[in-house]
């Protein structure tokens, strides 16, 4: 849980719990698992139990909600909160009762824009709250699209789910995704992998996604090329920065 973060497409992170299991090639170099290990944890894999975060951490978004007017005055918009940098909110192994607790927190913070990202697209509908309707005004729903085989079926599921904002995290981009139908998608983030043993992204793969976003009227955010360090390859695509955002609600 952090007031600020190095993740360029959000303002703050919130984790209801730490822990997850690999489900696809995008997980092969999971930075969250590495961080968990480095800090003495053992919360990854099917035979481990996630760690529920402290009440103090759960209260942080309530403080951000109280501070929303100040944030809006400084930034001209609402605070974005990425939920789940250290877990997957749609994991079937979520700790008992914690997902419902998360939805209660999201309902209690209507001036925050919650960014919920998952690699478990088949679980999304099952784990949405009963009053989801056409989507909460303050929730952006996203799926990871790291390759064709695993990522494109997630995109297909996402587009049929009601949400105020639907987004794709095309990171780590592992191959050319080919032709994309972005119907129903509002925003696409693209990035290459970083860290030891990173799988290099070709610039032409990212550019092909960008061109299709432009042609289909989808906002595009280029995060990074990746490399041994996140900033190693820079944040420009063919010499330009792309930091577009979905249409925002009023602050
Ligand atoms: S879904 Fe995310 S947090 Fe879970 S193992 Fe994969 S990359 Fe890590």
């Amino acid at each position: 849980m952090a007031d600020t973060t190095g993740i360029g497409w959000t303002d703050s992170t919130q984790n209801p719990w730490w822990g997850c299991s690999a489900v696809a090639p995008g997980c092969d170099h999971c930075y969250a698992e590495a961080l968990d290990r480095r800090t003495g944890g053992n919360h990854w894999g099917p035979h481990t139990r996630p760690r529920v975060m402290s009440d103090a951490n759960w209260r942080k978004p309530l403080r951000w909600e109280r501070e929303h007017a100040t944030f809006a005055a400084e930034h001209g918009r609402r605070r974005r909160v990425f939920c789940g940098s250290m877990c997957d909110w749609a994991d079937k192994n979520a700790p008992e009762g914690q997902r419902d607790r998360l939805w209660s927190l999201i309902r209690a913070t209507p001036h925050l824009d919650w960014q919920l990202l998952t690699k478990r697209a088949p679980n999304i509908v099952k784990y949405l709250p009963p009053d989801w309707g056409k989507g909460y005004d303050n929730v952006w729903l996203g799926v990871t699209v790291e390759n064709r085989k695993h990522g494109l079926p997630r995109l297909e599921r996402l587009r049929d789910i009601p949400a105020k904002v639907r987004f794709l995290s095309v990171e780590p981009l592992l191959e050319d995704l080919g032709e994309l139908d972005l119907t129903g998608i509002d925003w696409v983030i693209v990035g290459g992998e970083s860290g030891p043993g990173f799988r290099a992204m070709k610039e032409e793969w990212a550019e092909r996604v960008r061109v299709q976003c432009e042609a289909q009227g989808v906002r595009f955010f280029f995060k990074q090329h990746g490399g041994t360090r996140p900033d190693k390859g820079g944040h420009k695509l063919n010499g330009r920065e792309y930091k577009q955002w979905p249409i925002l609600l009023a602050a």
Side-chain angles (χ1 to χ4, degrees), residues 5 13 20 82 114 121 147 168 176 178 184 207 215 219 227 236 243:
T5 170
T13 55
C20 193
F82 171 31
W114 288 85
N147 64 10
L168 309 180
D176 178 5
E207 176 65 7
R219 304 296 181 104
K236 291 184 177 174
K243 293 190 184 302

Side-chain angles (χ1 to χ4, degrees), residues 5-71:
T5 170
I7 301 172
W9 49 266
T10 195
D11 295 307
S12 307
T13 55
Q14 193 270 348
N15 285 288
W17 61 87
W18 276 29
C20 193
S21 302
V23 289
C27 302
D28 284 356
H29 300 146
C30 175
Y31 69 91
E33 178 179 7
L35 175 57
D36 182 56
R37 286 229 183 98
R38 269 204 314 278
T39 52
N42 179 28
H43 305 98
W44 257 258
H47 306 299
T48 61
R49 295 167 70 93
R51 165 188 163 210
V52 178
M53 301 313 285
S54 69
D55 288 349
N57 276 311
W58 277 84
R59 281 194 293 272
K60 280 193 178 179
L62 297 172
R63 172 166 60 77
W64 299 334
E65 174 70 16
R66 288 194 299 277
E67 297 169 352
H68 80 268
T70 308
F71 186 94

Side-chain angles (χ1 to χ4, degrees), residues 150-181:
H150 300 84
L152 297 184
R154 296 189 197 118
L155 191 172
E156 291 302 324
R157 285 188 181 263
L158 179 67
R159 83 163 101 250
D160 291 335
I161 299 172
K164 295 299 175 189
V165 171
R166 297 187 199 90
F167 71 98
L168 309 180
S169 172
V170 180
E171 185 189 12
L173 179 51
L174 300 177
E175 65 178 357
D176 178 5
L177 295 180
E179 290 194 12
L180 297 170
D181 175 3

Side-chain angles (χ1 to χ4, degrees), residues 166-168 182 185-189 210 213-214 216-221 243-248:
R166 297 187 199 90
F167 71 98
L168 309 180
L182 298 170
I185 303 302
D186 301 288
W187 186 42
V188 173
I189 305 158
R210 187 198 67 75
C213 286
E214 187 174 295
Q216 298 181 48
V218 176
R219 304 296 181 104
F220 178 80
F221 188 107
K243 293 190 184 302
Q244 299 173 340
W245 303 92
I247 306 295
L248 298 175

